[in-house]
Amino acid sequence: MQIEKPVIIGAGYAGLSTAISLQEGGIKSTVFERQPFVGSGEPENFKAIRNYDLGVDFIDFLKESGFSFDFDVLKPINTITKYAPSGKKMTVFSDDGPLFYSIRKGSGQDSLDFQLYENALNEGVEVKFSQNKSLISGDIISVNSVYRNVWAYGNLYKGVNIDPEEIL
């Protein structure tokens, strides 16, 4: 069963990217965002997007996917330093492109949020702000954790020692 016009709850990266992909595939959708504007749900800040072990550079992936950005908002991070509780440290670097890209989040025109929103509008995506829709009313739910004390995110590394006290 195909939904005629999917309702997407959340105008963040995932919600807008999904709406753009659906639109490119000929499926119109509506994005509902409870905040008054894209990126206004949290203060201006920077986040890091992982770029290693993906098989493709994140910026190349965005370009190949047809997204149009001022790619200066994505700053490469080539070296990181990890600290163990004991104070020992380990520097990690890459000779094969950035480990991460630092991105600006928020509602400013130089944020990735705003630029993704502009991409969505250019594709004809309908975005409605200040809409406090129930999560169960959406076909696609793309929001921050609702129950932050219950939800968890993590990775399982099988056969790899990641204990900082032992590897540093």
Side-chain angles (χ1 to χ4, degrees):
M1 177 182 97
Q2 182 175 342
I3 299 167
E4 191 172 313
K5 188 174 183 185
V7 169
I8 299 172
I9 308 293
Y13 299 154
L16 291 173
S17 297
T18 299
I20 290 168
S21 295
L22 288 170
Q23 188 80 6
E24 288 173 347
I27 300 171
K28 294 188 179 299
S29 63
T30 304
V31 179
F32 291 91
E33 171 60 47
R34 68 180 167 87
Q35 298 297 330
F37 195 68
V38 67
S40 62
E42 57 185 279
E44 292 265 327
N45 63 70
F46 291 89
K47 302 252 178 174
I49 293 181
R50 178 179 161 196
N51 191 57
Y52 60 91
D53 292 338
L54 301 176
V56 64
D57 183 83
F58 183 69
I59 289 180
D60 292 341
F61 168 76
L62 290 175
K63 288 178 181 175
E64 289 168 11
S65 298
F67 290 102
S68 172
F69 293 107
D70 170 4
F71 287 99
D72 289 339
V73 302
L74 298 163
K75 304 293 184 196
I77 299 172
N78 298 308
T79 304
I80 59 172
T81 302
K82 295 181 173 187
Y83 291 90
S86 66
K88 293 179 183 176
K89 68 179 185 177
M90 175 174 70
T91 301
V92 179
F93 64 92
S94 172
D95 292 327
D96 190 31
L99 295 167
F100 298 90
Y101 281 103
S102 172
I103 58 166
R104 180 183 300 274
K105 286 197 48 66
S107 57
Q109 290 185 354
D110 60 345
S111 72
L112 195 59
D113 303 74
F114 184 80
Q115 292 187 42
L116 188 56
Y117 170 63
E118 285 186 322
N119 274 262
L121 292 181
N122 290 337
E123 288 292 329
V125 172
E126 181 181 13
V127 182
K128 295 185 177 187
F129 293 101
S130 300
Q131 304 288 315
N132 199 8
K133 288 276 200 186
S134 164
L135 294 180
I136 61 171
S137 69
D139 300 303
I140 299 169
I141 311 301
S142 172
V143 296
N144 286 329
S145 299
V146 177
Y147 304 103
R148 294 182 193 272
N149 60 338
V150 177
W151 292 24
Y153 171 79
N155 293 310
L156 174 63
Y157 296 93
K158 291 184 178 179
V160 177
N161 184 353
I162 61 169
D163 181 350
E165 293 297 338
E166 292 182 29
I167 65 173
L168 295 181

